[in-house]
Amino acid sequence: MPPAHPFDDDKLKEECGIFGVIGVTDAANFVALGLHALQHRGQEAGGIVSHDEEHGFNSARRFGYVRDNFTSQSLMQTLPGPLAIGHVRYSTAGSKGPTQIRDVQPFFGEFSMGGAAIAHNGNITNADALRRELIERGSIFQSSSDSECIIHLMARSLQRNIPERMEDALRRVEGAFSVVAMTRTKLIGVRDPLGVRPLVLGKVADGWVLSSETCALDIIGAEYVREIEPGEMVVISAEKGVESLRPFRPQKSRFCIFEHVYFSRPDSIIGNRSVYETRRQIGVELAREAPVDADLVCPVPDSGTPAAIGFAHESGIPYGMGIVRNQYMGRTFIEPTEQIRNMGVRLKLNVNRALIKGKRVILVDDSVVRGTTSRKIKEMILDAGAAEVHFRIASPPTAWPCFYGVDTPQREKLLAATMTEEEMREHLNVDSLRFISLDGLYRAVGEAEGRNPKQPQYCDACFSGEYPVEPADQIQKGFKLKTAAE
Amino acid sequence: MPPAHPFDDDKLKEECGIFGVIGVTDAANFVALGLHALQHRGQEAGGIVSHDEEHGFNSARRFGYVRDNFTSQSLMQTLPGPLAIGHVRYSTAGSKGPTQIRDVQPFFGEFSMGGAAIAHNGNITNADALRRELIERGSIFQSSSDSECIIHLMARSLQRNIPERMEDALRRVEGAFSVVAMTRTKLIGVRDPLGVRPLVLGKVADGWVLSSETCALDIIGAEYVREIEPGEMVVISAEKGVESLRPFRPQKSRFCIFEHVYFSRPDSIIGNRSVYETRRQIGVELAREAPVDADLVCPVPDSGTPAAIGFAHESGIPYGMGIVRNQYMGRTFIEPTEQIRNMGVRLKLNVNRALIKGKRVILVDDSVVRGTTSRKIKEMILDAGAAEVHFRIASPPTAWPCFYGVDTPQREKLLAATMTEEEMREHLNVDSLRFISLDGLYRAVGEAEGRNPKQPQYCDACFSGEYPVEPADQIQKGFKLKTAAE
Amino acid sequence: MPPAHPFDDDKLKEECGIFGVIGVTDAANFVALGLHALQHRGQEAGGIVSHDEEHGFNSARRFGYVRDNFTSQSLMQTLPGPLAIGHVRYSTAGSKGPTQIRDVQPFFGEFSMGGAAIAHNGNITNADALRRELIERGSIFQSSSDSECIIHLMARSLQRNIPERMEDALRRVEGAFSVVAMTRTKLIGVRDPLGVRPLVLGKVADGWVLSSETCALDIIGAEYVREIEPGEMVVISAEKGVESLRPFRPQKSRFCIFEHVYFSRPDSIIGNRSVYETRRQIGVELAREAPVDADLVCPVPDSGTPAAIGFAHESGIPYGMGIVRNQYMGRTFIEPTEQIRNMGVRLKLNVNRALIKGKRVILVDDSVVRGTTSRKIKEMILDAGAAEVHFRIASPPTAWPCFYGVDTPQREKLLAATMTEEEMREHLNVDSLRFISLDGLYRAVGEAEGRNPKQPQYCDACFSGEYPVEPADQIQKGFKLKTAAE
Amino acid sequence: MPPAHPFDDDKLKEECGIFGVIGVTDAANFVALGLHALQHRGQEAGGIVSHDEEHGFNSARRFGYVRDNFTSQSLMQTLPGPLAIGHVRYSTAGSKGPTQIRDVQPFFGEFSMGGAAIAHNGNITNADALRRELIERGSIFQSSSDSECIIHLMARSLQRNIPERMEDALRRVEGAFSVVAMTRTKLIGVRDPLGVRPLVLGKVADGWVLSSETCALDIIGAEYVREIEPGEMVVISAEKGVESLRPFRPQKSRFCIFEHVYFSRPDSIIGNRSVYETRRQIGVELAREAPVDADLVCPVPDSGTPAAIGFAHESGIPYGMGIVRNQYMGRTFIEPTEQIRNMGVRLKLNVNRALIKGKRVILVDDSVVRGTTSRKIKEMILDAGAAEVHFRIASPPTAWPCFYGVDTPQREKLLAATMTEEEMREHLNVDSLRFISLDGLYRAVGEAEGRNPKQPQYCDACFSGEYPVEPADQIQKGFKLKTAAE
């Protein structure tokens, strides 16, 4: 089992990336490359399932990076065949003890009409209730993952073929889910009715690809075709190509706006918008909403860079690398010494003293979660002799946890849940602190009118506390929804 | 033994970083942190030697990153004591077979007056001749490293104490060398008479630090005191503090100018100049020397970034992240599949298509060695729909190998050794290609008058072919010096 | 995954050893020691499940020896609690591909009334049919093991507590099975109605132990209480001590006679008889049945030793170590060289030339399976200069496969299935070859009248072809039972 | 580094086995097999050096068993060529800290006339003095091994070829040594003038073999030719075959008598005597010297077995396996739990209770060193219900440490150094305890007249305190030789 990372990144963490291919030679190789490009969505473990006529379903699951596992000939030749799916995952906060290899997806089930494998990005908000019901009926769970419910629901479906069993199962499931699955001959992709998590369709040679993001199409030279639509299920086979089904009751889309802010890679395209350009535009909006007189615009690497470029361009203040990242920082500290543990962020970041000294510095970061890293960065900047420190944050205050597949601290750990903007400024002890407004963020993603409060165009629950799907399991465990008064 | 990296970076590679501390509790922990900050100077292996009264000299040498080896309690507690030195290394091209753990420094020798450990950054240009002579006299070499000569020369010195034996030894040695060494009670630092490789002195609490670069002082919170001067030897002990000796005949300094261009970290300070600022200034000079009408200035990540910022600022053309780096790229591909091997640079870099499309793009890179990576990047940019591609290179053409501690291909593999600038442009098939001039580079490092051709202020042999120390072993093996006609 | 052993032992292989403890501090430590003592029953992998109030059920499964895995503090402290069970296993011949870690027992299931873990020694002869039925109803199998059926049958039982669910499940199961299982508070042991596989009860301090053999009681200092009886189920808890249930229809016992011949350790006690003494007695019987004039009685180490001692004693011919075993032979040859592969038995055994030379040698071995090893040993003995070679085998000809938890080759690979004793002698090319008679073997295990052909006292299917439980799955796959004519 | 074995074997430990081959294809494969057969002489680590025309000298050194390292194709193909030597080693008691891989032989040195590798069994009694002298002259030692002196002495020799340099070096060396060495074209074997350690010559196909024992000739199918004689040096080459030299002043042979008692494998032949037969004969002598009325003769496995067979045969008391060995006991306990650590000998041995109960038992063991294991075995036997316990020891009391290549405790830890036979009996608390007499032992090895006290035929210093070579380094460290009064 992998060690927990001793260095708190103080970021929200996407829990998964998914990828599938059909109709190519050695599909698992493509999946490995795709997962490598999606590694930012989950770094704890990965798994690939392939199918070929001779061996049936083949599977490999490993802790650690894709590059360290799914690149060797000896492993990859155990995953032959023209059809494969894969998954990368983060560990889930709050689970009892460390992740076991049996928690690593894709999950596989053998049904009377043949086997199926399934990989899931998102979170099932009624998973606890479903699990209790399934155990009552005699299902045996092998993992602690909410996603395993889907395969058990499929096993008990009365339908005769696997795609129909999957429809059956997913209709019982609540929450956010993008799914790639496979049978012996079919690749299947589904997005939940609100389309909270991304899933795109690509084409490579004679084959088809499903991926969480477009950046993973680029790495295998696949052409971007379109997004899977919210509530859509595609069933792809050699004979019939791409079939589109609509198993769910139609609803208005509520895509996760934080994918634009932080989760997705800047070279991905979401909803026909460049993620990089959106982030640069957030910087532009920030410079308009919260200008300040200063000498240097400096990104907190690496996620703050596009917004910092936009802020510098709009404000006319020079852009510079005031903080330098150590490229050789990894995740693999095993039982570190006390001294190493205490280094924290300094192992990863260093201040460019000569540039910072005597300057009024604007630090542009993507978000503030617990504020722990922000404090340390501010101290480093001041130690280096900065005259003033101004934080500009490329997202609104993160005041609510996400229950749709993102690892967030409990609400009381979120700085913005307990403090006003001014209190946070005092807490961080900086000259100024400003977050982009929710309307400013909506403008940056292309909604010229800003947020529609009656029918918000995105899921922004982490900022607004308005949850488009009721988090049933969490409420059962005592989570309090936003009251009218808040 | 570690696998060779299958993905050619097409960069010159610094072969070593060195670090030493005296006068602190658990000095080896400081050395581990320092080496982590110097990891960019050598990633293949690392070693630390410490000394404490109870156990004497303690040593650990490992393949792989500092963070993966020298962070665990179980290893670090085998390295106690108030005095320690360490080393990180690249593999040396051309050695017979893979590096053995016995080639990893520091080297240790037991003399009749006690032991000494030594770590070396640079290259001894008469090492072959010295080795033959020493073997003839009965020395037994354990490694294939040129640095082992020093310890054998010390063993045979007639002097009575270790610092004097080291003086004795280093006077027989030709080439470039910065050395940190230790006895039971002393930390020693030396730079060769030309001062080709860097070495700085720092102060931490009651102790003293020697480091290849200042960025490694920052990580342990040490204060930068000064550079060790060319030809200087410092002997540091608890009783006498820092003593400065001058064992060599004085010469004019010839510091490696490529440390400014690429080797050193941008947050280091060399000769009282910020490396970042120098690189930014190279971009400014380039924009003046080789302007071009375009829509976007885009760095080749990550080393081209400061020059690109300078170029954008000077030219007024917008700066943008046209190429995105995959942060999860590592070195650990063991027997990769054919498909993975063929991916090359695409595993590491992806084009930000939405930004590039239709634009005239200026790509700013730090250097062109063999040109292999430059070609692939150009293709990626064009595939993404760029209208024009202009390369601007932040160093003059690299036409000669370095024999002073840098891993360079043989001369005939260097693109600039066999082609003119225009031939290179055709070879890379780009709209324009321009290198900064040698004088421009000298101006950027602060020599307002440019290069003094009679007595160049720096070692620039890789650009000029003018070698300040005769590469005796190489000439013996057939290397041809620059002729008057060239 | 572990490598297959390249060196054919040419032995039947027991597939499992099981062990459980309740009522002691750190029960898992006792289980580890017990499994170490039972390692001869299964060397491929092992697993332990424990339960404690704080963490619930804890589990660890590993490939390799117990001593290499379940001895370290770091692993064992993940298995706290006063109640634990464990399992060691052989790989099963004929399974598709190598064993996966998910095939390693104990198996665990979470039911609505709490969890249970189960470990099984034996073989379920209707497992294929059960598996098809369970999948049809929606169960998802995670392993290829026949034993997983039991946990799924339990999950679907309508009974309200786990012991009753286990009764329910085991009544659907056919074949040979000794089982140890545990709930949060109970240790459970069961033997099938015929009692084919062993299981004994022991007492240690205030706790209770279940073990495949008594030798594993000795290692933890436990007192031997009694055997679990055929068809008995014991449920052991802190409150009620040992409760004995009889879930099955009573039948006459048919214990595996080969446990006496080879599987069990010589220091174990079965049915109040010393295994060592039984084997020595087999040697005595052999000397009476098949005397021969010779100079030396020599065991084939190590399993032939007790019978050789008995043969020497009865015949008056001197006993000597004519064959010496290399103690450093292990199982861990990874991709061995051709030359190593071809060494076969010589890596493990060497002839004591000085002792053998010129002598008429009686070699006493426990059994002949394919005869491959016997041939090689004979050649070694003759190469060393033996005058004559006489084989005496401490079991009747092995002519039928075992389907009750022992790994046997397919019938056509068994030498005795296709040859008469004289043909075997010619095949092995020895001066004489004699097996003990079936009646002689029964006499040696204490049946003064020999075998009762109408109601055999033991399961001796591997010798007689008379299977006490119909091997249903095997017949389905084409296995032919003995005909009246045979 | 390997963990120390937590279970005290309470045996003297041979420190090395050596093996070399010339004139065969893939000589390293033969060496690996030979070392596997010599594994009982050293289990901590092993090394092989080979030479082939293309790559020169090739080397691999590993901790752990030969079977776990030198069997894989991937390693063995790095050791090509027709000439190779190898070494297995025990750790040496008293060295500072754990063995480093650099302490593992063969050692290699590059001289001006070419390279040589050398492997050594024995101990150099003036190594400390030689090391000081060599360091004084400028040699740098890489290991803590006494054997490294030889290669440095060779490096400094004035002779022109390697065999002559080796003669030169070995004439400076005192103590016990059998050496195999190789140049690019020659295999060399040497025994010290007293011939304390064994070395034999064999022939395989067109090639020649040197080995510590004949059992390692058997495994590769080599024919035993003769022993290398005390003081002899053989130089073997393709052109000249075996040349015999006599570099030392002739002395009377003093072969180690403990090789007969314990170190050598029973299937080896020493001085034309079967080791097994000698040990059996020791049992016969013991039965004559120290008869006792009893019911069972029981060996302490495995080393006591041949003497127990002899004792039983001579006394007429039945022989039986009263103690059973767990075959799955290894050396690889990493940080074992307290409970495991306390198990000690019970992890390895179990009493055959049914056989022992109520009997008067004679336990035959090879030696008593500290007596710790003997006490535990006695307790196990009594716990099992033995009526009486009589120890018969197949060697005289071990009262003096060995300084000739055997790992013995310091003198004060040897039971026989501080107690009389009767005191030892009381200490062990057994009914009787008898050691074979020194004369009896000499008779068993074929000296009909017993030991010649004026000119002992063997080295028996561990029993007699008469050291044939003065242990100079030890005396320097304070060791007291036997006085006239003792």
Side-chain angles (χ1 to χ4, degrees), chain A residues 100-266:
Chain A
Q100 306 285 328
I101 197 71
R102 64 174 181 252
D103 290 330
V104 178
Q105 302 189 35
F107 290 119
F108 176 77
E110 189 74 43
F111 311 131
S112 48
M113 73 285 286
I118 183 166
H120 166 225
N121 171 212
N123 189 52
I124 300 174
T125 50
N126 64 335
D128 292 354
L130 286 172
R131 177 182 282 250
R132 276 192 301 272
E133 178 189 328
L134 285 159
I135 286 174
E136 197 67 49
R137 293 189 185 202
S139 294
I140 296 196
F141 278 73
Q142 294 296 329
S143 77
S144 64
S145 166
D146 62 321
S147 313
E148 196 186 340
C149 287
I150 302 173
I151 205 100
H152 283 290
L153 288 168
M154 289 172 69
R156 287 172 176 280
S157 165
L158 303 175
Q159 301 304 317
R160 294 288 180 81
N161 67 51
I162 290 171
E164 286 176 8
R165 285 189 166 205
M166 186 174 295
E167 287 184 41
D168 230 23
L170 292 176
R171 278 191 286 254
R172 282 299 315 278
V173 157
E174 296 168 9
F177 50 85
S178 286
V179 168
V180 295
M182 62 187 278
T183 69
R184 283 171 298 191
T185 56
K186 293 184 176 70
L187 175 67
I188 302 170
V190 196
R191 279 177 87 194
D192 66 72
L194 298 175
V196 175
R197 295 280 147 240
L199 189 64
V200 301
L201 177 69
K203 183 125 197 52
V204 61
D206 294 336
W208 295 91
V209 189
L210 293 170
S211 171
S212 291
E213 295 184 30
T214 63
C215 65
L217 301 180
D218 294 344
I219 200 173
I220 61 165
E223 181 192 348
Y224 171 56
V225 177
R226 66 172 175 90
E227 298 192 343
I228 306 303
E229 291 176 31
E232 182 183 10
M233 177 180 193
V234 291
V235 179
I236 313 178
S237 61
E239 308 84 42
K240 303 196 184 167
V242 180
E243 295 171 277
S244 174
L245 307 172
R246 295 281 170 175
F248 309 107
R249 190 172 50 83
Q251 296 187 50
K252 281 267 180 188
S253 155
R254 296 290 292 274
F255 184 69
C256 168
I257 203 163
F258 215 86
E259 292 275 354
H260 284 290
V261 170
Y262 176 72
F263 295 143
S264 292
R265 254 177 53 175

Side-chain angles (χ1 to χ4, degrees), chain C residues 124-145:
Chain C
I124 299 174
T125 49
N126 64 335
D128 292 355
L130 287 173
R131 176 182 282 252
R132 277 191 301 272
E133 179 189 326
L134 285 159
I135 287 173
E136 197 66 48
R137 292 187 185 204
S139 294
I140 296 196
F141 278 73
Q142 293 295 328
S143 78
S144 64
S145 165

Side-chain angles (χ1 to χ4, degrees), chain A residues 43 68 218 328 332 346, chain B residues 43 68 218 267 328 332 346:
Chain A
Q43 298 161 48
D68 294 336
D218 294 344
Y328 303 102
T332 51
R346 296 180 67 162
Chain B
Q43 297 161 49
D68 295 335
D218 295 342
D267 48 338
Y328 303 102
T332 51
R346 296 181 66 163

Side-chain angles (χ1 to χ4, degrees), chain C residues 29 36 43 68 71 74 218-219 267 276 321 325 327-328 332-333 335 337 339 343 346-347 350, chain D residues 29 36 43 67-68 71 74 218-219 267 321 325 327-328 332-333 335 339 343 346-347 350:
Chain C
N29 268 331
H36 173 63
Q43 297 160 48
D68 295 336
T71 47
S74 54
D218 295 343
I219 200 172
D267 48 339
Y276 171 82
M321 289 170 61
R325 200 167 153 277
Q327 297 181 38
Y328 304 101
T332 51
F333 287 77
E335 47 131 3
T337 63
Q339 197 160 5
M343 294 303 295
R346 296 181 68 163
L347 285 171
N350 190 25
Chain D
N29 268 332
H36 173 63
Q43 297 160 48
R67 68 161 202 244
D68 294 336
T71 47
S74 54
D218 295 343
I219 201 172
D267 48 336
M321 290 169 62
R325 199 167 154 278
Q327 297 182 36
Y328 304 102
T332 51
F333 287 74
E335 48 129 5
Q339 196 160 6
M343 293 305 294
R346 295 179 68 165
L347 285 171
N350 191 26

Side-chain angles (χ1 to χ4, degrees), chain B residues 184-317:
Chain B
R184 281 169 301 188
T185 56
K186 293 184 177 70
L187 176 67
I188 301 170
V190 196
R191 280 178 84 193
D192 65 73
L194 299 176
V196 175
R197 294 279 146 241
L199 190 64
V200 301
L201 177 69
K203 183 124 196 54
V204 62
D206 293 336
W208 295 92
V209 189
L210 293 170
S211 172
S212 291
E213 296 184 31
T214 64
C215 65
L217 301 180
D218 295 342
I219 200 172
I220 62 166
E223 183 193 348
Y224 170 56
V225 177
R226 65 171 176 89
E227 297 191 346
I228 305 304
E229 290 176 31
E232 183 183 10
M233 177 180 194
V234 292
V235 179
I236 313 178
S237 60
E239 309 82 43
K240 304 197 184 166
V242 180
E243 297 171 278
S244 174
L245 308 171
R246 295 283 170 175
F248 309 108
R249 190 172 50 80
Q251 297 187 48
K252 281 268 183 187
S253 155
R254 296 289 291 274
F255 184 69
C256 168
I257 203 164
F258 216 85
E259 292 274 355
H260 284 290
V261 169
Y262 175 73
F263 296 143
S264 293
R265 251 173 58 172
D267 48 338
S268 283
I269 289 174
I270 303 178
N272 298 319
R273 293 184 62 82
S274 152
V275 173
Y276 171 84
E277 180 53 28
T278 295
R279 289 181 191 167
R280 210 192 65 86
Q281 195 60 36
I282 294 174
V284 170
E285 289 285 341
L286 252 180
R288 289 175 189 157
E289 287 190 355
V292 59
D293 200 19
D295 305 310
L296 183 74
V297 176
C298 166
V300 176
D302 288 338
S303 49
T305 300
I309 291 172
F311 195 105
H313 190 264
E314 177 70 15
S315 66
I317 301 170

Side-chain angles (χ1 to χ4, degrees), chain B residues 169-188:
Chain B
L170 291 176
R171 279 191 285 257
R172 283 298 316 278
V173 156
E174 297 168 8
F177 50 86
S178 285
V179 166
V180 295
M182 64 186 279
T183 69
R184 281 169 301 188
T185 56
K186 293 184 177 70
L187 176 67
I188 301 170

